[in-house]
Amino acid sequence: MVSEKGNGSFVKAEAHKDAIQSSLAGTDVCSDHDILRICLLAGKIMLQNGGETSRVEDTMMRIAAAYGYDNSHSYVTPTGILFAIDGTAPATRLIRISERSTNLQKVTIVNDISRRICGDGMTPVEALSLLQETDTQPFAYPEWLRIATAALASGCFAIMFRGGWSDFMPAVLAGGIGFLLVVLLNRFVPVKFFAEFLAAAAIGGTAVLLTQNGVGADLNIIIIGSVMPLVPGLHITNAVRDLMAGHLVSGLSKGAEAFLTAFAIGSGIAVVLSLL
């Protein structure tokens, strides 16, 4: 038997949800499945572009709550999102995440959309339109600029690690070649490990050849500075944050991914140094 107090709370919750659904009347998006679609699209964009698991789950649940679905549930891993809402017809969907990159600008845009939904009461039609526009946007920066920035950063890292100015240009050249190979190989090689391994080998080979010909003084500094743009810093940070937030599966899987990247970099350099 349901108590009068419990029954009153249930009626109030239903009335609140009915009021929100009534406010959505006249729009094209107002069903359980459409609200679910908005939440999943927001979570997908964030997870694909470097957002940590806890942020993805929190964002989806806040969006659902803003549209009157307080009893939503989410389960996020680096390779998939499972999200459920309890409405008039309980709905559950799964999205597979097969490609991941780093574009924190998209994460910021989704965060802003989520805040506007929760604060300003953005309509579902407008929210879905903005999310679809964000999802289809190309990478924020062109590839040539990313490669040039990685090359310059490699030289700056070499100086930061107490290398001489004679090591600056060799690190720039080796780092640029390595990052260029990562960008090109990722288009043709489905396994990320091999792309990073070959890029690290190219960096090691370039650094060795340059120092053997009198260009650059410290081989170790040049190699260290050149591989820094390949180091998975964001993955390590997100793995630690997920572990601290209690997301053990996501934290361990992201940590394993970061370890494989570090292993690929180290293996590529080790192979070159053992052969040359």
Side-chain angles (χ1 to χ4, degrees), residues 218-237:
D218 194 326
L219 175 62
N220 294 330
I221 294 297
I222 294 173
I223 291 177
I224 293 173
S226 300
V227 301
M228 286 302 292
L230 304 181
V231 173
L234 181 63
H235 292 295
I236 296 173
T237 303

Side-chain angles (χ1 to χ4, degrees), residues 24 38 44 47 71 79 87 93 99 119 151 154 184 190 200 228 241 245 253-254 266 270 272:
L24 299 178
I38 294 173
K44 171 193 166 189
L47 193 60
N71 194 25
T79 57
R93 277 190 191 172
E99 296 182 2
S154 298
L184 294 178
M228 286 302 292
R241 294 187 66 174
S253 59
K254 289 180 180 178
V272 170

